[in-house]
Amino acid sequence: MTTETPTPAITTTKLSVAHKAVGPRTWVAGVAANLVTGVLGILFLIPLLWVVFAAFDADAGLKLEWPGSDLSLDNFRAVLTPETTYRPMWNGLVLCVGSTAIAIVVATLAAYPLSRFETRYKRPFLLTILFSTGLPITAIMVPVYGLFVQLNLVDTISGTVAFMATTALPMSIFLMKNFMDGVPLTLEEAAWTDGATSMQTLRHIVLPLMWPGMSVVMIFTFIGMWGNFFIPFILLLSPDRLPASVSIFTFFGQYGSVQWGQLAAYSILYTLPVVLLYVLLSRRLGGAFNFGGALKG
């Protein structure tokens, strides 16, 4: 004799409530949200389309137009010269890679004690970091320039790298500490029991687990340095030492008019390092931190 299992009444009630929840108002709200998001996406897409179309148009202007039969690579040939692109790109890579490396190392060493130890100076230090992130760079450039003049660091790559790394430290330390807080302290305590030092646990346990977070900080710092115009414009004087973020400014006043097609082509080339960096590190950003397996057993 077969006995059928009755369907629980609570399940039927939940299904009916869920069905009633998806009503006309919810549908209208979803459509409205999609429309607003689509409009905003189009508004962001139009300037990007202008850059792409103008880069392949020899007679490009401010109007968004499809190049059509005038599609050519003349704008790229015009800007792909050592003075316009190659040397500024190299200078920008030297400045950004150097400042990013210094910022990541110093931020890691500063974030570790802030994440792992409790002191009475921890909260004031974190508040100072937060205050530094909102301090405009224009407010400190005058005393910084005076200091660089006294130390003979004006128009030097090393001095500019050091100052750019310093400006990136507040946000880098704050982000690095938040990512480091996600690493369970239990793993380090087990390593300390086996005789490992704090630096050994930082190197062999904490950093491998928080590598996705470090990738985020690295990309964030590099993008901020790559697009930095004001600092190298003030501290670097020689044209052969200026990065791409400063040399792009020459398109707006050279020969009395703006070469829009060449400016668009240069803009595409200027974004390539950031895009390549993101592509190389994208696999590290694909998921959240998985520490559950490390705590079992």
Side-chain angles (χ1 to χ4, degrees):
M1 180 176 182
T2 304
T3 304
E4 295 182 357
T5 304
T7 303
I10 186 172
T11 304
T12 305
T13 304
K14 288 182 177 180
L15 290 176
S16 60
V17 172
H19 178 72
K20 292 179 180 179
V22 184
R25 293 184 178 180
T26 305
W27 183 82
V28 172
V31 172
N34 291 331
L35 288 176
V36 172
T37 304
V39 171
L40 292 177
I42 293 175
L43 293 178
F44 278 101
L45 184 62
I46 290 176
L48 298 180
L49 290 177
W50 176 87
V51 172
V52 176
F53 292 166
F56 296 96
D57 188 357
D59 300 323
L62 286 176
K63 187 178 179 181
L64 180 62
E65 295 179 350
W66 175 253
S69 59
D70 297 332
L71 187 67
S72 67
L73 298 176
D74 293 340
N75 293 323
F76 289 94
R77 297 189 186 99
V79 299
L80 286 176
T81 60
E83 295 79 11
T84 306
T85 301
Y86 297 138
R87 187 162 50 196
M89 287 286 187
W90 174 253
N91 294 336
L93 288 175
V94 171
L95 291 174
C96 296
V97 172
S99 59
T100 300
I102 295 175
I104 292 298
V105 172
V106 176
T108 302
L109 297 177
Y112 183 71
L114 292 174
S115 176
R116 290 298 185 257
F117 305 108
E118 293 291 338
T119 63
R120 60 178 180 176
Y121 302 107
K122 179 179 178 178
R123 180 176 175 80
F125 187 75
L126 290 175
L127 292 177
T128 303
I129 292 176
L130 288 177
F131 173 77
S132 301
T133 57
L135 191 64
I137 191 64
T138 54
I140 61 176
M141 280 308 300
V142 173
V144 167
Y145 187 82
L147 177 64
F148 271 53
V149 170
Q150 295 295 326
L151 298 177
N152 294 324
L153 292 177
V154 176
D155 200 24
T156 61
I157 297 295
S158 58
T160 307
V161 167
F163 183 67
M164 291 176 67
T166 303
T167 58
L169 276 179
M171 184 59 69
S172 299
I173 293 175
F174 183 76
L175 293 176
M176 196 74 73
K177 177 194 175 296
N178 290 334
F179 285 119
M180 200 171 291
D181 289 340
V183 180
L185 186 60
T186 310
L187 302 177
E188 292 185 74
E189 292 175 346
W192 293 337
T193 305
D194 294 335
T197 62
S198 297
M199 294 303 298
Q200 288 175 337
T201 57
L202 173 63
R203 178 181 178 184
H204 297 289
I205 296 178
V206 178
L207 293 184
L209 290 175
M210 62 172 294
W211 172 247
M214 292 185 64
S215 301
V216 174
V217 180
M218 188 183 304
I219 293 176
F220 182 83
T221 305
F222 184 87
I223 292 176
M225 297 298 99
W226 187 252
N228 196 312
F229 167 82
F230 194 67
I231 293 178
F233 179 74
I234 296 297
L235 299 181
L236 296 176
L237 306 178
S238 302
D240 58 344
R241 296 181 181 178
L242 294 177
S245 59
V246 178
S247 64
I248 196 174
F249 179 72
T250 59
F251 287 96
F252 291 93
Q254 199 172 18
Y255 308 120
S257 62
V258 180
Q259 301 292 330
W260 296 110
Q262 297 181 16
L263 176 61
Y266 190 84
S267 299
I268 292 178
L269 297 174
Y270 179 64
T271 59
L272 287 181
V274 175
V275 174
L276 291 177
L277 177 63
Y278 178 78
V279 170
L280 291 175
L281 297 178
S282 60
R283 293 184 179 180
R284 300 290 184 176
L285 307 176
F289 298 103
N290 296 319
F291 301 127
L295 295 177
K296 294 182 180 179

